[in-house]
Amino acid sequence: MSEERTSRPEWVDDHNMFATSYVKGNDRVQPTKERRWVKRKELSIEEYVAGVLNNNRTILAQAITLIESNAAKHTEKAQRILHELLPYVGRSVRIGITGVPGAGKSTFIEAFGQFLCDKGHRVAVLAIDPSSSLTGGSILGDKTRMEYLARHPRAFIRPSPSGGTLGGVHRKTRETMLLCEAAGYDIILVETVGVGQSEVAVRGMVDFFLLLALTGAGDELQGMKKGMMELVDAIVINKADGDNKQKAELAKEEYNQILHYLRHATKGWETKAYTCSSLHGEGIEQIWEVIERFVQTTKQSGVFEERRKEQMKDWLHAMIKDYLHIRFFHHPAVQQQLPNIEQDVMEGKQPVTMAAQQLIRLYEQT
């Protein structure tokens, strides 16, 4: 390296040896190129449809994001995509999974999903994350809670924030399920956050509904609502291993005694309790055999198809109600008068029924 271009550090005198030299001019600030963001090409409806049908996971994820968007232009495009995919949906078994806090829903779903994938099925998990009340973002992050299943080539996990709507089960979840079916996933697992009314909504969109419970059946039964037990097609006592195994068997017997006297959720099907250990994979195969028997029984009786039709009708009615609700509360005349009428109702100056009728007349007349 030439002497003109190199130099020793200025703090080293001429009599001292120093092993390092630097190239002159390299200490100058080099101009940086401005980074230009390239906008991702917007796919056409045909490209979305082809991508979903070919199980292009990237395009499937983008299509789901389109469905989850509240922008009017995205909603219209998403509906056109769904319309094109309708001939390819409805060929899966839809399974809802709920449970009390600590029952191990994610551990069970991971073990169950891996079992199904290893049997040759393709499994989509729609894990409804409760949304933060402050930021609106997801809290649980199911891809981190199901890390092994998330890496399986035959599995697809889509955690999505509930947005505070009835425990997370709403139009977007239903339409995401249809996209996954069109992509070829023959088992759809819908995990609920387990917060009251969300179970009722899940019951209205799945074929088979499963409740995960814990050992200690005496205390568990005290806190279990009768209505909840009448919604499910099976109860599974999880964590039936080690010292808990005997307790789980006792809990199963107690549940079966109670279930014998309750109205069953599905016509022609008797709800029963079972045990499993998600940690060790014990009992997982038996639960799948129960679900297969349920599907065969209800398809032979016609209950399976009839339930699907009723669910679509209920979905239609729910969509109409949601639309009218939004239109009503965004009506200018209603927005102007609502605070005053609310105040009158809270102060006891006007009956609630009369106040509601007044607002409805404002909506209908303007």
Side-chain angles (χ1 to χ4, degrees), residues 297-309:
T297 300
T298 53
K299 282 189 174 181
Q300 287 177 349
S301 65
V303 171
F304 188 94
E305 186 63 28
E306 189 61 32
R307 171 174 279 169
R308 287 275 180 101
K309 290 179 179 178

Side-chain angles (χ1 to χ4, degrees), residues 125-361:
V125 181
L126 307 184
I128 312 300
D129 267 3
S131 294
S132 166
S133 59
L134 297 177
T135 66
S138 297
I139 297 174
L140 300 180
D142 284 85
K143 280 195 174 181
T144 59
R145 294 186 291 138
M146 304 178 195
E147 57 179 332
Y148 296 109
L149 183 60
R151 293 199 294 265
H152 202 292
R154 303 184 68 86
F156 179 80
I157 299 178
R158 180 69 181 202
S160 58
S162 68
T165 58
L166 197 59
V169 183
H170 46 30
R171 172 186 65 82
K172 296 172 184 179
T173 303
R174 291 175 181 268
E175 293 180 350
T176 297
M177 180 171 63
L178 297 180
L179 284 180
C180 291
E181 288 180 343
Y185 293 95
D186 61 323
I187 307 291
I188 311 292
L189 304 180
V190 182
E191 177 192 4
T192 79
V193 296
V195 286
Q197 291 299 312
S198 64
E199 284 83 4
V200 179
V202 170
R203 172 76 276 181
M205 63 186 296
V206 298
D207 306 311
F208 187 92
F209 197 24
L210 184 150
L211 169 68
L212 283 181
L214 294 168
T215 56
D219 296 335
E220 183 69 21
L221 287 171
Q222 292 296 325
M224 185 67 65
K225 294 181 180 178
K226 174 185 173 184
M228 178 65 237
M229 296 179 70
E230 289 181 341
L231 288 177
V232 299
D233 299 302
I235 296 176
V236 175
I237 296 91
N238 195 14
K239 303 182 181 181
D241 45 51
D243 295 338
N244 273 333
K245 195 163 187 177
Q246 187 175 359
K247 294 178 182 178
E249 290 296 328
L250 292 174
K252 182 183 77 172
E253 295 303 319
E254 289 195 46
Y255 274 116
N256 281 327
Q257 289 177 13
I258 298 296
L259 289 168
H260 181 71
Y261 296 101
L262 296 181
R263 179 177 60 87
H264 300 302
T266 303
K267 183 179 179 181
W269 177 260
E270 184 179 358
T271 302
K272 291 184 178 180
Y274 307 89
T275 61
C276 85
S277 169
S278 302
L279 189 63
H280 300 294
E282 297 173 0
I284 298 292
E285 184 173 3
Q286 181 193 15
I287 294 167
W288 175 238
E289 290 172 355
V290 169
I291 295 173
E292 284 187 309
R293 192 165 66 250
F294 171 89
V295 172
Q296 181 181 9
T297 300
T298 53
K299 282 189 174 181
Q300 287 177 349
S301 65
V303 171
F304 188 94
E305 186 63 28
E306 189 61 32
R307 171 174 279 169
R308 287 275 180 101
K309 290 179 179 178
E310 286 295 318
Q311 288 175 348
M312 295 301 288
K313 185 182 75 174
D314 292 343
W315 184 10
L316 171 65
H317 292 177
M319 289 292 294
I320 294 170
K321 290 176 183 176
D322 288 346
Y323 175 78
L324 292 175
H325 181 273
I326 293 170
R327 286 290 299 270
F328 179 83
F329 284 102
H330 283 77
H331 192 280
V334 173
Q335 287 183 325
Q336 183 179 4
Q337 294 297 324
L338 183 60
N340 296 330
I341 294 176
E342 285 176 336
Q343 191 65 32
D344 288 345
V345 168
M346 288 188 292
E347 293 177 358
K349 296 178 180 179
Q350 187 175 186
V352 172
T353 301
M354 184 182 293
Q357 290 173 345
Q358 183 180 345
L359 287 168
I360 292 170
R361 281 196 298 269

Side-chain angles (χ1 to χ4, degrees), residues 40 60-70 74 158 179:
R40 186 173 64 188
L60 174 59
Q62 291 175 8
I64 294 173
T65 300
L66 202 66
I67 278 177
E68 291 176 345
S69 172
N70 292 320
H74 292 160
R158 180 69 181 202
L179 284 180

Side-chain angles (χ1 to χ4, degrees), residues 113 115-123 152 154-155 184-187 288 292:
F115 167 80
L116 293 172
C117 288
D118 292 342
K119 284 182 67 69
H121 294 283
R122 295 177 61 196
V123 180
H152 202 292
R154 303 184 68 86
Y185 293 95
D186 61 323
I187 307 291
W288 175 238
E292 284 187 309

